[in-house]
Amino acid sequence: MNRDEKKALISFLTIYVVSAILLIGVILYIYYKNETKMLEESCTMELHNASMHIKNEIINKYMKNQKFNPNKLENINIKYGLFNKDKKVIFSYLDKNFEVDFSKDSYVNEFYNYFITTLDEENIPIKYIVLETCQEVQNKNKLQIFILVILFLSAIFIGFIGYLLSKILLNPVRQRVEALDKFIKDSAHELNTPISVLMTSVSMLKNGKNPQKMMKYILSSSKQISQIYNDIHFSAFNELNEDVFEEFNLKDLVGESIEFFNDISITKDITINSDLEDCFIKMDRTKTQKIVNNLLSNAIKYSKKDSVIEVSLEKNILKVKDFGIGISKEDQKEIFKRYKRGNNTEGGFGIGLDIVKRVCDEYNLSLELKSFVDKESTFSIDFLSIVIKDILQK
């Protein structure tokens, strides 16, 4: 992972994780406030019920002229104390470390909840019933720990998911960058050969060495450079151009392309044989030429020296057959993708067949490939879908 990718990954993770944690934090805060409110109401209800139970028991005992004996409540979390009108302790289970604030009916300190009930009976010495419980405070502490754990685990989970998402999102970009980087290197390498031949031929031509042969090499190199430039330009800018439909004979166009590439094939002593029938079609002529030119260019690049390329146009089907290195079954699945090459040791940089595939898909032309490694490759295109029917019937 390079520096820019790391920077993009950190930026994405920071924004994603912080925003997600803030959202979860808000949700957890709302949950915490609702839960604490419910805890307070529940605790107040329990203390109120306990105080009513003690109050009724005291009143009943005094009405029957019996002595009230304080006992612990069933809920061991609730303790109580009895005080007289002077707020002096008559009996107490309360925590002695804390003084009771009789000015309030209920209140909470750091450790306990207090609830105070008053008895207004003159003949009963007990004036105040004070209840104490730590249950609400403990439950709040547990709730806080629970929320912090959830927040921490959520942060880890969100960070992990964010990392996976960023890797998934960055992966196509990385592949694209790597493909473009490879494309630039291969383009430079592809252009290097004709440029070197061109410069060498010009130098030898200046010295008067074999001018006729040097002129052939100069013409061949110039055409190769032109073909490479046209492919790059077409691949990069074709989406901006509108189709210009023309009616023309595909036989004439293929013948022109063969004549053009004869000057290129000469550098490898390759012979291009052709057997062409009339085939009148309606299509963008430039795109048609791109199909034919790239098939011929591809055949020359991957053909062996002193070999033959067979071009045929019969029953609306154009076939270009070379006797070169062939294409493996695995590579045949990828060969029409941009920047893919069948064999990295040969020429080309992987946009020619991509152009062929894109144009065929655009015009619904059937494209087939049959190849055998180290033997031959045959590309076939059926132009039936764009054949001019009237001329065909004649």
Side-chain angles (χ1 to χ4, degrees), residues 194 197-198 201 212-227 255-272 296-297 300 309:
V197 171
L198 185 62
S201 300
Q212 189 174 357
K213 184 177 181 181
M214 291 306 105
M215 286 301 296
K216 287 183 179 180
Y217 283 139
I218 290 171
L219 181 60
S220 175
S221 299
S222 300
K223 287 187 174 182
Q224 287 182 60
I225 294 170
S226 175
Q227 175 66 16
E256 292 170 7
S257 293
I258 291 172
E259 186 177 348
F260 178 88
F261 280 94
N262 273 327
D263 291 322
I264 297 176
S265 64
I266 194 174
T267 57
K268 293 177 71 173
D269 295 323
I270 295 172
T271 302
I272 303 177
L296 289 172
S297 175
I300 293 171
I309 295 173

Side-chain angles (χ1 to χ4, degrees), residues 368-385:
E368 291 184 2
L369 166 62
K370 292 182 181 179
S371 184
F372 304 93
V373 177
D374 293 327
K375 289 185 179 180
E376 61 184 53
S377 297
T378 303
F379 289 87
S380 304
I381 300 177
D382 191 344
F383 286 86
L384 181 61
S385 62

